[in-house]
Amino acid sequence: MLENRDMKTVLIWTLRVAVGVLVLVALLAWGVQQWLASADVRSRVTQDASEMLGVQVNLTRIELQFWPQPALQVHELTLHTQPSMTLQQLALRPAWGQLLRGQIRLASVNVQGLVLNQRALDKLISLQKKKLLLQSEKGQEAKNVDENLNLPERIELGGVEWLDSQGKSTRLAGRLLFSPSGELDATSVNVLSGQFEGAQVQVQRSGPRWT
């Protein structure tokens, strides 16, 4: 009888601790969500992005997604190039195993509703080249992209629209898979509309070769 009573007591306290932890996590998550949704955070993110790219960047909100997998989401992002380039949603999911070991890497990047314009992209690339040249003339050392670039394990592309220099539209969806060293391991692309509508491309690395 005593053992049963002790077991019930332990079980009750275990449940209380579990509920307390869940409540604490929920409160922390709510607090982070409110912080991410604040105007100060949006302003800081858009300011840093605008300075880095050299064009005005705007977004409507940043939030945490908890289901089906935890992710940081950015909604309705606009690059004010000429013409503008837009992104409906960007979801960033961390690699939890590496994060627990103190290593920061994304497990996946999910891109939805991206509209890319060739003319705007050419101007943006030209602007970045001028920026690097100006830094070089001022004696500022350009950052080594290869050392700082940490590619995700997977990039999912959903409903990406490409507008060529004549304004012709091609919509596609696809997936890119990367190795832990950042090398492209596999890619698949489906052309949803445009000149090559219905075309499918699947390429996978097999040792030094691609198949």
Side-chain angles (χ1 to χ4, degrees), residues 3-210:
E3 292 181 358
N4 290 337
R5 186 178 302 171
D6 291 342
M7 289 182 63
K8 288 181 180 179
T9 302
V10 172
L11 181 59
I12 290 172
W13 277 103
T14 301
L15 289 174
R16 287 178 178 175
V17 171
V19 170
V21 170
L22 289 174
V23 170
L24 179 59
V25 170
L27 288 173
L28 288 173
W30 178 82
V32 172
Q33 186 79 281
Q34 296 301 308
W35 175 72
L36 289 173
S38 67
D40 289 341
V41 172
R42 289 199 307 274
S43 176
R44 179 61 184 272
V45 170
T46 54
Q47 181 180 347
D48 289 347
S50 299
E51 291 178 359
M52 181 180 68
L53 296 175
V55 296
Q56 181 63 38
V57 177
N58 291 112
L59 58 89
T60 57
R61 71 181 189 276
I62 305 172
E63 65 180 5
L64 284 177
Q65 170 192 297
F66 299 100
W67 183 264
Q69 294 180 354
L72 179 67
Q73 291 186 340
V74 177
H75 295 271
E76 297 179 12
L77 188 145
T78 301
L79 273 67
H80 291 278
T81 50
Q82 295 295 329
S84 297
M85 293 188 287
T86 58
L87 173 63
Q88 288 182 3
Q89 186 184 94
L90 178 68
L92 309 174
R93 294 186 175 89
W96 294 106
Q98 292 185 333
L99 190 63
L100 292 174
R101 293 195 297 269
Q103 302 172 353
I104 299 177
R105 190 187 182 193
L106 292 173
S108 68
V109 173
N110 191 296
V111 177
Q112 296 292 332
L114 175 63
V115 179
L116 293 173
N117 187 290
Q118 183 176 339
R119 288 184 297 155
L121 201 57
D122 290 342
K123 291 178 182 178
L124 189 60
I125 292 173
S126 176
L127 186 62
Q128 294 304 306
K129 288 181 179 179
K130 291 180 181 179
K131 185 178 178 181
L132 292 174
L133 180 61
L134 185 61
Q135 288 179 347
S136 177
E137 291 176 351
K138 290 183 177 181
Q140 298 176 356
E141 187 176 352
K143 293 183 179 179
N144 191 324
V145 175
D146 291 334
E147 290 181 358
N148 296 317
L149 191 59
N150 196 356
L151 292 172
E153 298 172 3
R154 184 174 72 255
I155 297 178
E156 299 280 354
L157 303 173
V160 175
E161 183 177 10
W162 171 263
L163 299 170
D164 65 17
S165 56
Q166 279 94 37
K168 295 180 180 178
S169 172
T170 298
R171 292 184 68 253
L172 55 86
R175 172 183 295 176
L176 305 174
L177 301 179
F178 296 90
S179 68
S181 60
E183 295 180 339
L184 182 62
D185 271 350
T187 180
S188 62
V189 177
N190 298 326
V191 181
L192 305 177
S193 66
Q195 183 178 1
F196 302 102
E197 182 177 352
Q200 296 183 354
V201 178
Q202 293 186 352
V203 183
Q204 185 172 355
R205 182 193 294 273
S206 180
R209 299 182 179 180
W210 290 88

